[in-house]
Amino acid sequence: MEKIREIIVANLTGKKVLLFFVLANVVYAIMLIVTIPKTMAFSNGLQLLDMMPLGYNSEYVNALFKTLGENGRQVYLKNQLPIDMIYPFLFGVSYCLLIGYFLKKLNKINSVFFYLCFLPVIAGIADYAENFGIIAMLNSYPDISPITVNFTNIFSVVKSMTTTVFFIALIITLLMLGIKTIKERRKTSTNTL
């Protein structure tokens, strides 16, 4: 664990954090603006599996894939999912470094709060597992295994839960940093008077 902490701390420079943050969000924007709408054009209003934080069941998967039709399933498989194979890595690395950067500013990187850095990594791994499950289901349609649906659904829910917990932790960390900064400025202005 100490080796992992050293690797993360060694990469907590402003430039690296910003670079990964920008890359992750550019890829995310491409998905939101291009590939997801392109896929959803075939879905008749049904949400894609990647976008269902509370999960889904076999009936929903079959209804979605049937509604997408052959063309929509191919767009999902060949347009949306390839770019979504880049995003989990960028999300995991960028947000791990981002919260680590703020924890370092708070002098909390060597505390138990360090483990918050793993939340985006867990979300990224769950996203990959979800993607592989969706690929398997798309490739086997119409013979989708309920076991594949259940496992993919579990990873979808894990992804959304860890992402939600992470963003709550990030907001709290930013609030703590803001409070620390205000206190330091007040202390500095009081000392200069």
Side-chain angles (χ1 to χ4, degrees):
M1 188 56 69
E2 208 45 49
K3 188 69 176 165
I4 294 171
R5 186 189 315 266
E6 288 173 18
I7 292 168
I8 291 171
V9 169
N11 287 287
L12 295 180
T13 64
K15 286 181 182 178
K16 279 187 186 175
V17 172
L18 182 62
L19 173 68
F20 277 104
F21 181 79
V22 168
L23 285 173
N25 284 288
V26 164
V27 171
Y28 189 59
I30 291 169
M31 287 195 304
L32 286 179
I33 296 167
V34 180
T35 61
I36 290 172
K38 186 174 180 181
T39 308
M40 288 195 65
F42 296 93
S43 77
N44 198 24
L46 293 174
Q47 292 295 313
L48 302 182
L49 302 180
D50 325 62
M51 300 169 62
M52 298 190 65
L54 300 178
Y56 40 83
N57 56 30
S58 293
E59 291 78 26
Y60 186 87
V61 173
N62 279 303
L64 173 65
F65 287 4
K66 182 179 181 182
T67 303
L68 286 172
E70 180 63 31
N71 290 339
R73 290 191 301 274
Q74 288 304 309
V75 169
Y76 202 174
L77 190 62
K78 295 183 178 172
N79 292 124
Q80 167 55 22
L81 287 167
I83 196 157
D84 199 13
M85 295 303 275
I86 299 166
Y87 182 67
F89 170 77
L90 292 173
F91 177 86
V93 171
S94 68
Y95 285 99
C96 169
L97 294 178
L98 183 67
I99 199 161
Y101 181 79
F102 293 133
L103 290 171
K104 185 177 174 187
K105 295 264 185 208
L106 286 167
N107 298 317
K108 301 285 185 196
I109 195 71
N110 292 317
S111 72
V112 70
F113 293 107
F114 167 75
Y115 294 101
L116 294 173
C117 294
F118 291 111
L119 287 172
V121 175
I122 293 166
I125 291 167
D127 198 351
Y128 275 120
E130 172 192 62
N131 290 344
F132 286 123
I134 294 169
I135 290 167
M137 291 187 292
L138 284 166
N139 283 327
S140 67
Y141 182 80
D143 300 316
I144 299 173
S145 159
I147 294 170
T148 306
V149 173
N150 289 335
F151 275 110
T152 306
N153 177 56
I154 288 167
F155 289 117
S156 294
V157 172
V158 167
K159 175 189 81 171
S160 63
M161 284 175 29
T162 53
T163 301
T164 301
V165 171
F166 168 75
F167 279 111
I168 291 168
L170 180 62
I171 290 166
I172 292 169
T173 303
L174 289 170
L175 288 172
M176 290 170 58
L177 186 59
I179 291 166
K180 179 185 177 194
T181 303
I182 290 167
K183 284 182 179 178
E184 287 174 353
R185 286 188 182 161
R186 282 186 184 160
K187 188 176 178 181
T188 304
S189 65
T190 304
N191 290 341
T192 57
L193 292 178

